[in-house]
Amino acid sequence: MDDAVPETPAVAEDEPAPDPGYDPASPAPLNVPRTPTGDAGVDAALARLGDADHLATDGHVEVYEDVHRGLRDALTALDARPGPPAPPSTHRQGS
């Protein structure tokens, strides 16, 4: 029977010690790039995503729902715009 105690892995001396003030639950920027689209409504909604960088995780849902609502409104507005006139019909009635 082997009564040897397993060795604990040695910590490399050149590795920095963890920052005692570091809190993994604190807000941290996601640094997700947001490329302008040229549509003011969409760009405003995407810019709103930056607000999540300063919130704890439980605050992200409100931002994401707000952005989703803004993007949905932008898509709905596209449906409401009048399109180009329809080409004249070549079909004659009663022929």
Short mmCIF file of all heavy atoms in Angstrom, two decimals, residues 27-57:
data_model
loop_
_atom_site.label_atom_id
_atom_site.label_comp_id
_atom_site.label_asym_id
_atom_site.label_seq_id
_atom_site.Cartn_x
_atom_site.Cartn_y
_atom_site.Cartn_z
N PRO A 27 -18.59 44.50 -13.85
CA PRO A 27 -18.74 44.83 -15.27
C PRO A 27 -17.39 44.92 -15.96
O PRO A 27 -16.42 45.41 -15.40
CB PRO A 27 -19.42 46.19 -15.26
CG PRO A 27 -20.04 46.32 -13.92
CD PRO A 27 -19.19 45.51 -12.99
N ALA A 28 -17.34 44.44 -17.18
CA ALA A 28 -16.13 44.53 -18.00
C ALA A 28 -16.54 44.74 -19.44
O ALA A 28 -17.49 44.11 -19.92
CB ALA A 28 -15.31 43.25 -17.87
N PRO A 29 -15.87 45.65 -20.14
CA PRO A 29 -16.24 45.89 -21.54
C PRO A 29 -16.11 44.61 -22.37
O PRO A 29 -15.17 43.85 -22.21
CB PRO A 29 -15.22 46.93 -22.00
CG PRO A 29 -14.68 47.54 -20.76
CD PRO A 29 -14.78 46.49 -19.69
N LEU A 30 -17.08 44.40 -23.24
CA LEU A 30 -17.05 43.24 -24.12
C LEU A 30 -16.18 43.50 -25.35
O LEU A 30 -15.75 42.57 -26.02
CB LEU A 30 -18.47 42.87 -24.56
CG LEU A 30 -19.43 42.50 -23.43
CD1 LEU A 30 -20.83 42.30 -23.98
CD2 LEU A 30 -18.95 41.27 -22.71
N ASN A 31 -15.94 44.77 -25.63
CA ASN A 31 -15.11 45.18 -26.77
C ASN A 31 -15.56 44.56 -28.09
O ASN A 31 -14.75 44.14 -28.90
CB ASN A 31 -13.64 44.86 -26.50
CG ASN A 31 -13.10 45.65 -25.34
OD1 ASN A 31 -13.44 46.81 -25.17
ND2 ASN A 31 -12.29 45.01 -24.52
N VAL A 32 -16.87 44.49 -28.28
CA VAL A 32 -17.42 43.98 -29.53
C VAL A 32 -17.48 45.16 -30.51
O VAL A 32 -18.11 46.17 -30.21
CB VAL A 32 -18.83 43.39 -29.33
CG1 VAL A 32 -19.45 42.97 -30.65
CG2 VAL A 32 -18.77 42.23 -28.37
N PRO A 33 -16.83 45.03 -31.67
CA PRO A 33 -16.87 46.15 -32.62
C PRO A 33 -18.27 46.33 -33.18
O PRO A 33 -18.98 45.37 -33.45
CB PRO A 33 -15.88 45.74 -33.71
CG PRO A 33 -15.75 44.27 -33.58
CD PRO A 33 -16.05 43.91 -32.16
N ARG A 34 -18.66 47.58 -33.34
CA ARG A 34 -19.95 47.92 -33.92
C ARG A 34 -19.70 48.79 -35.14
O ARG A 34 -19.30 49.94 -35.00
CB ARG A 34 -20.83 48.61 -32.88
CG ARG A 34 -21.28 47.67 -31.78
CD ARG A 34 -22.07 48.37 -30.70
NE ARG A 34 -21.31 49.29 -29.88
CZ ARG A 34 -20.56 48.93 -28.85
NH1 ARG A 34 -20.44 47.67 -28.52
NH2 ARG A 34 -19.91 49.83 -28.14
N THR A 35 -19.92 48.25 -36.31
CA THR A 35 -19.68 48.96 -37.56
C THR A 35 -20.93 49.72 -37.95
O THR A 35 -22.01 49.14 -38.00
CB THR A 35 -19.31 47.95 -38.67
OG1 THR A 35 -18.22 47.16 -38.22
CG2 THR A 35 -18.96 48.65 -39.95
N PRO A 36 -20.81 51.02 -38.22
CA PRO A 36 -21.99 51.79 -38.64
C PRO A 36 -22.61 51.21 -39.91
O PRO A 36 -21.90 50.76 -40.81
CB PRO A 36 -21.43 53.19 -38.90
CG PRO A 36 -20.14 53.25 -38.15
CD PRO A 36 -19.61 51.85 -38.13
N THR A 37 -23.94 51.23 -39.95
CA THR A 37 -24.66 50.67 -41.09
C THR A 37 -25.13 51.74 -42.06
O THR A 37 -25.48 51.42 -43.18
CB THR A 37 -25.90 49.90 -40.61
OG1 THR A 37 -26.81 50.84 -40.00
CG2 THR A 37 -25.54 48.81 -39.62
N GLY A 38 -25.18 52.99 -41.61
CA GLY A 38 -25.70 54.06 -42.44
C GLY A 38 -27.17 54.34 -42.19
O GLY A 38 -27.71 55.34 -42.65
N ASP A 39 -27.83 53.48 -41.43
CA ASP A 39 -29.23 53.69 -41.06
C ASP A 39 -29.22 54.21 -39.62
O ASP A 39 -28.75 53.54 -38.71
CB ASP A 39 -30.01 52.37 -41.15
CG ASP A 39 -31.48 52.55 -40.81
OD1 ASP A 39 -31.79 52.80 -39.62
OD2 ASP A 39 -32.30 52.42 -41.73
N ALA A 40 -29.74 55.42 -39.44
CA ALA A 40 -29.67 56.08 -38.13
C ALA A 40 -30.33 55.25 -37.02
O ALA A 40 -29.78 55.15 -35.92
CB ALA A 40 -30.31 57.46 -38.20
N GLY A 41 -31.48 54.65 -37.30
CA GLY A 41 -32.18 53.86 -36.28
C GLY A 41 -31.40 52.62 -35.88
O GLY A 41 -31.29 52.28 -34.70
N VAL A 42 -30.84 51.93 -36.87
CA VAL A 42 -30.07 50.72 -36.59
C VAL A 42 -28.77 51.09 -35.87
O VAL A 42 -28.39 50.44 -34.89
CB VAL A 42 -29.77 49.96 -37.90
CG1 VAL A 42 -28.79 48.82 -37.67
CG2 VAL A 42 -31.06 49.44 -38.51
N ASP A 43 -28.12 52.16 -36.32
CA ASP A 43 -26.87 52.57 -35.68
C ASP A 43 -27.11 52.98 -34.22
O ASP A 43 -26.29 52.67 -33.35
CB ASP A 43 -26.22 53.71 -36.45
CG ASP A 43 -25.66 53.24 -37.79
OD1 ASP A 43 -25.47 52.03 -37.98
OD2 ASP A 43 -25.40 54.11 -38.65
N ALA A 44 -28.22 53.63 -33.94
CA ALA A 44 -28.54 54.01 -32.56
C ALA A 44 -28.76 52.76 -31.70
O ALA A 44 -28.32 52.70 -30.55
CB ALA A 44 -29.77 54.91 -32.53
N ALA A 45 -29.45 51.78 -32.25
CA ALA A 45 -29.69 50.55 -31.50
C ALA A 45 -28.38 49.82 -31.23
O ALA A 45 -28.15 49.35 -30.11
CB ALA A 45 -30.66 49.64 -32.27
N LEU A 46 -27.52 49.75 -32.23
CA LEU A 46 -26.23 49.08 -32.03
C LEU A 46 -25.35 49.84 -31.04
O LEU A 46 -24.63 49.23 -30.25
CB LEU A 46 -25.51 48.92 -33.37
CG LEU A 46 -26.19 47.99 -34.37
CD1 LEU A 46 -25.42 47.96 -35.68
CD2 LEU A 46 -26.34 46.59 -33.80
N ALA A 47 -25.40 51.16 -31.07
CA ALA A 47 -24.63 51.96 -30.11
C ALA A 47 -25.09 51.68 -28.68
O ALA A 47 -24.29 51.71 -27.75
CB ALA A 47 -24.75 53.44 -30.44
N ARG A 48 -26.37 51.40 -28.53
CA ARG A 48 -26.94 51.09 -27.20
C ARG A 48 -26.29 49.84 -26.60
O ARG A 48 -26.22 49.69 -25.39
CB ARG A 48 -28.45 50.92 -27.34
CG ARG A 48 -29.18 50.41 -26.12
CD ARG A 48 -29.58 51.54 -25.19
NE ARG A 48 -30.57 51.10 -24.24
CZ ARG A 48 -30.28 50.74 -22.98
NH1 ARG A 48 -29.06 50.79 -22.53
NH2 ARG A 48 -31.25 50.34 -22.17
N LEU A 49 -25.78 48.94 -27.45
CA LEU A 49 -25.12 47.74 -26.94
C LEU A 49 -23.93 48.10 -26.05
O LEU A 49 -23.59 47.35 -25.15
CB LEU A 49 -24.65 46.85 -28.09
CG LEU A 49 -25.72 46.08 -28.83
CD1 LEU A 49 -25.11 45.38 -30.03
CD2 LEU A 49 -26.41 45.08 -27.92
N GLY A 50 -23.30 49.24 -26.31
CA GLY A 50 -22.17 49.68 -25.50
C GLY A 50 -22.55 49.91 -24.05
O GLY A 50 -21.69 49.85 -23.16
N ASP A 51 -23.82 50.15 -23.78
CA ASP A 51 -24.27 50.35 -22.40
C ASP A 51 -24.08 49.09 -21.56
O ASP A 51 -23.92 49.17 -20.35
CB ASP A 51 -25.73 50.79 -22.35
CG ASP A 51 -25.94 52.17 -22.95
OD1 ASP A 51 -24.95 52.89 -23.16
OD2 ASP A 51 -27.10 52.51 -23.24
N ALA A 52 -24.11 47.94 -22.19
CA ALA A 52 -23.94 46.68 -21.46
C ALA A 52 -22.53 46.56 -20.90
O ALA A 52 -22.31 45.84 -19.92
CB ALA A 52 -24.25 45.49 -22.36
N ASP A 53 -21.56 47.27 -21.49
CA ASP A 53 -20.18 47.22 -21.02
C ASP A 53 -20.03 47.72 -19.59
O ASP A 53 -19.07 47.37 -18.91
CB ASP A 53 -19.26 48.04 -21.92
CG ASP A 53 -19.05 47.40 -23.28
OD1 ASP A 53 -19.43 46.23 -23.45
OD2 ASP A 53 -18.49 48.07 -24.16
N HIS A 54 -20.95 48.55 -19.14
CA HIS A 54 -20.83 49.18 -17.83
C HIS A 54 -21.80 48.60 -16.81
O HIS A 54 -21.93 49.14 -15.71
CB HIS A 54 -21.04 50.69 -17.96
CG HIS A 54 -20.21 51.28 -19.06
ND1 HIS A 54 -18.86 51.44 -18.97
CD2 HIS A 54 -20.56 51.71 -20.29
CE1 HIS A 54 -18.39 51.95 -20.09
NE2 HIS A 54 -19.41 52.12 -20.91
N LEU A 55 -22.46 47.51 -17.18
CA LEU A 55 -23.46 46.91 -16.29
C LEU A 55 -23.02 45.51 -15.86
O LEU A 55 -22.33 44.82 -16.60
CB LEU A 55 -24.80 46.79 -17.02
CG LEU A 55 -25.45 48.08 -17.48
CD1 LEU A 55 -26.66 47.77 -18.35
CD2 LEU A 55 -25.86 48.93 -16.29
N ALA A 56 -23.48 45.12 -14.69
CA ALA A 56 -23.30 43.73 -14.27
C ALA A 56 -24.14 42.85 -15.20
O ALA A 56 -25.06 43.33 -15.87
CB ALA A 56 -23.74 43.55 -12.82
N THR A 57 -23.83 41.60 -15.25
CA THR A 57 -24.49 40.68 -16.17
C THR A 57 -26.00 40.72 -16.06
O THR A 57 -26.70 40.65 -17.07
CB THR A 57 -23.99 39.24 -15.91
OG1 THR A 57 -22.56 39.25 -15.97
CG2 THR A 57 -24.52 38.29 -16.95
#
